[in-house]
Amino acid sequence: MEKGNNKKFYRLHWLWNIIRHGLIFQGIRNKLALLGVDFMPYFWTLEGDDTILCPEVKGDTPGFSITHFSEEDVKNAQSLIGGSYDKDLSSYIKEGQICVGIKDSEAIVAFMFIKRDFYLFRGKTFKFDRHEAYLHSMYTFEAYRGRRIAPYLRYHCYQVCKELNLTRVYSISEYFNKSSKKFKKKLKAKHTKLYLSIVLFKRYKKTILLKRYV
């Protein structure tokens, strides 16, 4: 294939992947957000369906263990991720959140957080009763990606929530994030509400309820 045709082929392949994965509107939203005009539709989603089975992980897992990460574990995870990650994980632990993670012997595989009491998202506060919580900030390290780690961790996080008598666990799914919606569908998560979040130039914040599903 000639060089010019080769470049054209890869451009078309790139465009097709964006279309196929539903990322066009997500990309447009991200570009507008950089200009200070940030419109984000998102689902408030209920997770933890009792009928789902434990997902299988690809590859051998003899050293895998599910554990509550300590503050030291979280600090270690933060240092391993690097500077491009914009979340202060230690602050989550200090305010009482629970970090559920996977280790491969001593190596950190993945982690996520359980937030109780309330969750603040883009200016809107979601308040929880004593049986409710919010799941967020799931991260899988590069060496373990592609092995179905995310649903495996999610399932075990549900079990931890049950042990804590947290019978209703929520998360947020961006409307235009096709991959996230597909992932949640496999876990039998249910959309309960559709919101539109508006943030203008990082000053004006407004959240509008567009639809209720249950």
Side-chain angles (χ1 to χ4, degrees):
M1 184 181 294
E2 295 180 3
K3 189 175 181 179
N5 289 334
N6 191 46
K7 287 184 178 180
K8 184 177 180 180
F9 170 79
Y10 282 111
R11 287 196 192 100
L12 290 173
H13 184 67
W14 170 80
L15 180 60
W16 167 240
N17 278 333
I18 286 180
I19 295 172
R20 183 162 59 96
H21 293 293
L23 298 176
I24 289 180
F25 291 110
Q26 182 78 350
I28 293 172
R29 193 195 76 78
N30 291 341
K31 291 291 186 182
L32 288 173
L34 291 174
L35 298 174
V37 182
D38 190 351
F39 292 86
M40 177 193 285
Y42 64 88
F43 294 107
W44 186 247
T45 304
L46 179 65
E47 299 191 41
D49 190 293
D50 288 331
T51 64
I52 66 171
L53 302 176
C54 181
E56 293 185 4
V57 176
K58 289 183 179 179
D60 296 329
T61 60
F64 273 28
S65 61
I66 308 293
T67 181
H68 287 212
F69 276 17
S70 65
E71 186 173 353
E72 183 179 350
D73 289 325
V74 169
K75 287 181 178 178
N76 187 25
Q78 183 98 54
S79 67
L80 293 171
I81 293 172
S84 61
Y85 196 65
D86 62 355
K87 297 181 180 180
D88 182 4
L89 303 180
S90 292
S91 68
Y92 298 158
I93 291 291
K94 289 176 181 177
E95 67 180 45
Q97 296 191 40
I98 298 169
C99 183
V100 181
I102 303 174
K103 287 187 177 181
D104 184 2
S105 295
E106 293 301 315
I108 296 176
V109 176
F111 61 84
M112 64 183 299
F113 285 84
I114 301 171
K115 169 78 165 137
R116 293 176 286 186
D117 300 327
F118 71 94
Y119 186 71
L120 177 64
F121 184 70
R122 294 168 62 91
K124 178 174 175 59
T125 300
F126 294 90
K127 295 182 179 180
F128 309 131
D129 67 26
R130 61 179 181 173
H131 299 300
E132 297 178 325
Y134 180 80
L135 308 181
H136 69 102
S137 301
M138 184 166 62
Y139 188 93
T140 303
F141 282 90
E142 186 69 34
Y144 295 91
R145 291 178 186 174
R147 295 181 57 184
R148 301 197 191 104
I149 297 294
Y152 180 78
L153 174 58
R154 207 82 173 186
Y155 172 85
H156 284 286
C157 191
Y158 298 157
Q159 309 316 306
V160 170
C161 287
K162 289 176 184 177
E163 292 171 5
L164 296 171
N165 200 29
L166 299 172
T167 56
R168 295 179 70 84
V169 291
Y170 297 96
S171 65
I172 283 173
S173 301
E174 289 190 45
Y175 184 88
F176 293 128
N177 191 329
K178 189 175 180 180
S179 298
S180 175
K181 290 193 291 184
K182 186 177 180 181
F183 171 70
K184 298 286 181 70
K185 186 176 181 179
K186 287 181 178 179
L187 293 172
K188 298 185 180 181
K190 298 176 181 177
H191 301 319
T192 63
K193 297 175 183 177
L194 174 61
Y195 288 101
L196 174 62
S197 169
I198 304 169
V199 179
L200 301 179
F201 308 106
K202 298 182 180 181
R203 294 181 180 180
Y204 174 83
K205 295 181 180 180
K206 177 74 173 179
T207 300
I208 303 168
L209 176 61
L210 298 179
K211 185 175 181 179
R212 294 179 185 269
Y213 294 91
V214 291

